[in-house]
Amino acid sequence: MRILAVSNDLSFLSELTDVLKKIVPEADVIKETDPLMACKYSFKNEVDFTFADWEMKRMSFSDLTQFIKKERPRAKTYLIDKNAVALDALICDEFDGVIGYPFSLEELTKILKGEETADARQEK
């Protein structure tokens, strides 16, 4: 399993990757502070999951997920909502779910193990 974690915030990114490695120690967890580099990585490599911050420099979450979904349509993409983004503004088919911050180990475990979560997008 290959997981891509993307955020400009280094401390947040470290916390996210530590949690992901704890849940799935055998997974390759790739962390990127630059969303353009995350796109480049996903272009060259299979990605199973992407977890990304809403607010990033150089590229929006929406643009990042559109690119990854185009290159890797089976990849699951999740928004990490650390700033209480209004979910009404996120009505789109670009991503698979929203995860609150601070992280819920239970919620992330269900996502990575392929189980449905209460916070996953119900419109799909």
Side-chain angles (χ1 to χ4, degrees):
M1 178 184 300
R2 194 167 288 143
I3 304 169
L4 187 57
V6 188
S7 177
N8 298 136
D9 182 338
L10 280 175
S11 62
F12 172 77
L13 188 58
S14 291
E15 182 181 355
L16 174 60
T17 55
D18 288 348
V19 169
L20 293 170
K21 287 177 183 178
K22 181 186 247 184
I23 295 169
V24 191
E26 69 278 6
D28 290 329
V29 180
I30 297 88
K31 62 181 176 180
E32 287 290 349
T33 56
D34 184 342
L36 292 174
M37 293 305 293
C39 288
K40 183 177 179 180
Y41 182 88
S42 71
F43 183 74
K44 293 181 178 181
N45 301 279
E46 285 291 329
V47 174
D48 299 298
F49 293 93
T50 300
F51 296 92
D53 197 352
W54 174 251
E55 294 181 19
M56 296 181 287
K57 296 175 184 168
R58 298 187 63 182
M59 180 179 277
S60 70
F61 171 81
S62 179
D63 290 342
L64 172 68
T65 56
Q66 284 179 14
F67 181 86
I68 290 174
K69 286 290 192 178
K70 181 179 177 187
E71 294 301 317
R72 305 291 176 199
R74 290 181 292 173
K76 301 289 184 187
T77 57
Y78 291 87
L79 165 66
I80 304 292
D81 181 16
K82 67 179 186 175
N83 295 318
V85 174
L87 297 181
D88 293 344
L90 302 176
I91 304 301
C92 62
D93 291 327
E94 298 164 3
F95 58 96
D96 297 288
V98 178
I99 300 167
Y101 180 80
F103 310 113
S104 161
L105 282 176
E106 181 180 341
E107 183 178 11
L108 282 170
T109 300
K110 286 180 180 179
I111 288 168
L112 294 169
K113 303 293 182 184
E115 301 170 14
E116 213 39 56
T117 67
D119 291 339
R121 304 259 330 262
Q122 298 299 318
E123 302 92 61
K124 291 196 157 201

